[in-house]
Amino acid sequence: MIEFLKGKVHSTDRGYLVLEVNGIGYIINMISRELHTFYKNEEVFINIRLILREDAAILYGFKDSETRDAFDLLTTVSGIGPKLAMGILDGDDVSNIAKYIISKDDKSLVKLPGVGKKTAQRIILELKDKVEKLNLNLNLETEVVSTFDENDDPAVEALISLGYNIYDARKVLEKIDISLDISDRIREALKLMG
């Protein structure tokens, strides 16, 4: 198995990372919000998970081992393969996903890409105890309350319905004055999201 790869970024423009290691170009599937943080010829360290299938050997890469651990956990859930797991991780931070699971918040899980109500319930059922055992420093009791709650914010809901993931929607709306009218907040968010 491959634990990690260290090398130079060759390209990221085809939706995956091509990492040059000792003259060999490795194709590594990554979460898009991590993928867009690299630049050409940058020296990077990527945590790897190798998935072997009958017809292919596929590399999945992660900037940190915590995200790879979350990927490993998600792929243990019946009905969740590597592609769906990557989509889920692309939808929000690992710490937030863990909080949704621990607090049995299936409404927030359903907002993640590819997750329906039954899948969300299966994730909670199969992973709640495992996630609680991980040391993710979630500080559930002493968590600082953000300026808005995405569960109650119609602007987040609107951006999700337009195809944006909850992570991007929440991040962009944090930059916009919450006292603005909802249509103005959505308009400003769409400008920022380009």
Side-chain angles (χ1 to χ4, degrees):
M1 290 299 253
I2 301 170
E3 180 71 13
F4 64 86
L5 288 171
K6 184 179 177 184
K8 282 189 177 178
V9 174
H10 180 270
S11 65
T12 59
D13 55 354
R14 288 179 273 178
Y16 50 78
L17 172 67
V18 177
L19 187 69
E20 184 183 332
V21 181
N22 297 325
I24 301 170
Y26 291 91
I27 293 175
I28 304 171
N29 295 284
M30 295 194 70
I31 298 165
S32 64
R33 60 189 165 88
E34 287 187 349
L35 186 64
H36 298 306
T37 63
F38 299 125
Y39 55 89
K40 193 173 174 76
N41 293 324
E42 176 185 10
E43 184 87 18
V44 294
F45 178 96
I46 306 293
N47 293 279
I48 296 293
R49 186 57 71 225
L50 171 64
I51 304 293
L52 296 172
R53 295 191 332 212
E54 284 182 26
D55 58 343
I58 303 168
L59 295 175
Y60 291 90
F62 309 90
K63 283 182 117 176
D64 58 71
S65 57
E66 185 181 79
T67 308
R68 183 181 60 191
D69 293 345
F71 173 84
D72 291 342
L73 275 180
L74 285 168
T75 54
T76 65
V77 176
S78 56
I80 297 182
K83 282 186 180 178
L84 180 53
M86 292 297 276
I88 292 168
L89 293 170
D90 206 13
D92 209 335
D93 286 325
V94 170
S95 58
N96 287 335
I97 294 169
K99 287 176 193 173
Y100 302 153
I101 294 168
I102 290 170
S103 61
K104 299 181 181 178
D105 183 359
D106 60 342
K107 287 180 182 174
S108 292
L109 285 173
V110 166
K111 294 176 185 174
L112 299 172
V115 179
K117 189 155 182 70
K118 286 184 180 177
T119 303
Q121 290 169 344
R122 216 167 38 244
I123 290 170
I124 291 167
L125 179 70
E126 295 183 30
L127 296 186
K128 187 177 183 302
D129 294 339
K130 293 177 184 176
V131 170
E132 285 175 342
K133 289 175 187 170
L134 293 178
N135 185 17
L136 293 175
N137 296 321
L138 298 178
N139 299 326
L140 292 170
E141 294 76 29
T142 59
E143 183 182 320
V144 176
V145 178
S146 67
T147 53
F148 66 90
D149 180 0
E150 67 273 5
N151 294 324
D152 301 322
D153 189 351
V156 173
E157 295 288 340
L159 291 172
I160 291 168
S161 70
L162 291 171
Y164 295 99
N165 66 45
I166 189 172
Y167 177 85
D168 291 339
R170 197 171 51 215
K171 286 292 179 198
V172 78
L173 285 166
E174 285 173 0
K175 299 173 188 173
I176 297 167
D177 185 354
I178 196 163
S179 66
L180 288 174
D181 179 73
I182 183 165
S183 58
D184 292 333
R185 290 179 68 220
I186 293 167
R187 200 173 298 114
E188 290 298 314
L190 290 171
K191 282 182 195 171
L192 290 173
M193 292 171 118

